[in-house]
C-alpha cells in the first residue's frame, strides 16, 4: 500500500466546475482525501466549509492574498512599502485557514518592483521578507499553523518573482515540458520519482498542480495506476 499522500490543487484541477466548493466534491469523488487551493478569497467561506465537512476532505494549504492583481502583484511578503497590506492579508488567510481547519499557509514573497533589477533590490527585499516572516511566525505559532515559503522558477514561470532558490518543503508535481499530468508522456519519470519518495520515507503531501490536457478525471490515470501498483 502506497504511503504517499496526494492532494488535488483545485485552483488547477477540476476547473471544468466554476465553484471551489464543487471542485472539493469532485476531488473527493475522484479519490483524493486532501485538496489545496491557491486563493480561496473570492469564494463563500460558508460554502467551502460545508463542502469540506460533507466530504471529509482535508484542506492542506492556502496562499496569502496576491495584493493588487491589476497592478501585477503576486504576493506581498517581500515587497517594499507593503508591510501593512501583507499583515492584513495574513489576517484574511488566517480567517479562511481556521474555518477550514487548514494547517499550512504559503506566505507569498511577491515580485520585484516594476522596472527594477534583482541585484539592486535584493538586499532590501530580503530584509523585508525576513521581517514579515518573523511577524508571521509569531502569529501562526499561536494558531498552530505552519507557514511555508515557495521558490518559483524565474527562468520559465515568473522571471520577476523574488524567491527563486529551493531548499526544502512541500512537493508539487507536473510533467515537463507542458506542465500537464505527471504521466509517462513527458520528460520526467514519475513512477521512479514516486518510488524514490516512498524509499526516502517522505510523509508530506504531494500537491497536484498541473494543467489537465482534457478534463481532470480523464487525466487521472497516472494516479489510479500508482494506487494500483502500490497495493
Amino acid at each position: 500500500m502506497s504511503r504517499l499522500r496526494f492532494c488535488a490543487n483545485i485552483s488547477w484541477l477540476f476547473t471544468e466546475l466554476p465553484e471551489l466548493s464543487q471542485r472539493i466534491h469532485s476531488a473527493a469523488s475522484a479519490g483524493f482525501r486532501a485538496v489545496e487551493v491557491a486563493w480561496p478569497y473570492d469564494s463563500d467561506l460558508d460554502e467551502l466549509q460545508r463542502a469540506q465537512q460533507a466530504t471529509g476532505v482535508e484542506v492542506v494549504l492556502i496562499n496569502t492574498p496576491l495584493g493588487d492583481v491589476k497592478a501585477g502583484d503576486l504576493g506581498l511578503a517581500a515587497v517594499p512599502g507593503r508591510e501593512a497590506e501583507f499583515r492584513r492579508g495574513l489576517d484574511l488567510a488566517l480567517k479562511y485557514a481556521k474555518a477550514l481547519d487548514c494547517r499550512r499557509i504559503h506566505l507569498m514573497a511577491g515580485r520585484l518592483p516594476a522596472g527594477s533589477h534583482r541585484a539592486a533590490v535584493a538586499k532590501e527585499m530580503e530584509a523585508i521578507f525576513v521581517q514579515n516572516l518573523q511577524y508571521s511566525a509569531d502569529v501562526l505559532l499561536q494558531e498552530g499553523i505552519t507557514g511555508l515559503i515557495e521558490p518559483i522558477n524565474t527562468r520559465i514561470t515568473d522571471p520577476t518573482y523574488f524567491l527563486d532558490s529551493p531548499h526544502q518543503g512541500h512537493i508539487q508535481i507536473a510533467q515537463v515540458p507542458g506542465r500537464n499530468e505527471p504521466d509517462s508522456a513527458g520528460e520526467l519519470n514519475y513512477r521512479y520519482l514516486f518510488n524514490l519518495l516512498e524509499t526516502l520515507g517522505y510523509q508530506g503531501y504531494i500537491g497536484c498542480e498541473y494543467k489537465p490536457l482534457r478534463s481532470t478525471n480523464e487525466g487521472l490515470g497516472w494516479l489510479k495506476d500508482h494506487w494500483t501498483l502500490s497495493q
Side-chain angles (χ1 to χ4, degrees):
M1 180 66 68
S2 174
R3 296 189 301 270
L4 298 181
R5 301 187 297 167
F6 295 90
C7 59
N9 188 315
I10 57 174
S11 296
W12 291 77
L13 305 186
F14 305 104
T15 55
E16 307 91 321
L17 300 169
E19 300 296 334
L20 290 179
S21 57
Q22 296 174 308
R23 297 178 198 177
I24 290 174
H25 282 281
S26 289
S29 296
F32 286 100
R33 297 181 180 177
V35 300
E36 59 184 73
V37 55
W39 302 284
Y41 309 110
D42 289 335
S43 297
D44 182 83
L45 184 52
D46 290 336
E47 286 187 11
L48 294 179
Q49 271 188 308
R50 286 193 290 269
Q52 189 268 334
Q53 292 167 0
T55 59
V57 164
E58 180 182 357
V59 179
V60 170
L61 173 70
I62 63 174
N63 297 344
T64 50
L66 288 168
D68 187 344
V69 177
K70 293 182 179 179
D73 288 340
L74 192 64
L76 299 171
V79 180
R82 309 286 291 279
E83 293 88 342
E85 191 175 350
F86 167 76
R87 294 185 181 191
R88 290 195 296 272
L90 179 62
D91 289 341
L92 181 60
L94 276 170
K95 176 183 177 181
Y96 273 74
K98 291 166 66 176
L100 298 171
D101 197 25
C102 174
R103 312 317 297 171
R104 302 168 188 84
I105 295 176
H106 168 207
L107 307 167
M108 296 203 69
R111 291 174 168 144
L112 308 178
S116 64
H117 295 285
R118 185 174 297 273
V121 298
K123 187 174 181 179
E124 179 187 11
M125 292 189 73
E126 181 176 352
I128 292 170
F129 195 34
V130 169
Q131 174 185 319
N132 280 328
L133 291 180
Q134 289 173 334
Y135 171 83
S136 300
D138 290 338
V139 172
L140 296 176
L141 180 63
Q142 297 176 36
E143 303 293 345
I145 293 175
T146 300
L148 301 179
I149 57 176
E150 178 188 349
I152 291 179
N153 186 330
T154 54
R155 289 186 295 277
I156 298 174
T157 305
D158 193 321
T160 63
Y161 197 74
F162 170 69
L163 190 63
D164 66 346
S165 177
H167 294 289
Q168 61 181 14
H170 181 73
I171 292 174
Q172 294 176 326
I173 56 174
Q175 189 54 276
V176 176
R179 198 168 183 173
N180 305 122
E181 289 86 345
D183 54 23
S184 60
E187 298 177 14
L188 297 181
N189 184 341
Y190 269 103
R191 182 170 295 179
Y192 165 79
L193 292 174
F194 293 153
N195 288 337
L196 177 61
L197 289 172
E198 293 265 18
T199 300
L200 294 173
Y202 178 71
Q203 297 182 7
Y205 276 101
I206 299 173
C208 304
E209 187 173 307
Y210 61 84
K211 296 179 290 187
L213 286 171
R214 297 173 295 280
S215 75
T216 300
N217 282 314
E218 286 178 304
L220 288 178
W222 66 271
L223 183 58
K224 296 173 183 176
D225 288 344
H226 175 76
W227 284 337
T228 299
L229 292 170
S230 299
Q231 290 179 352

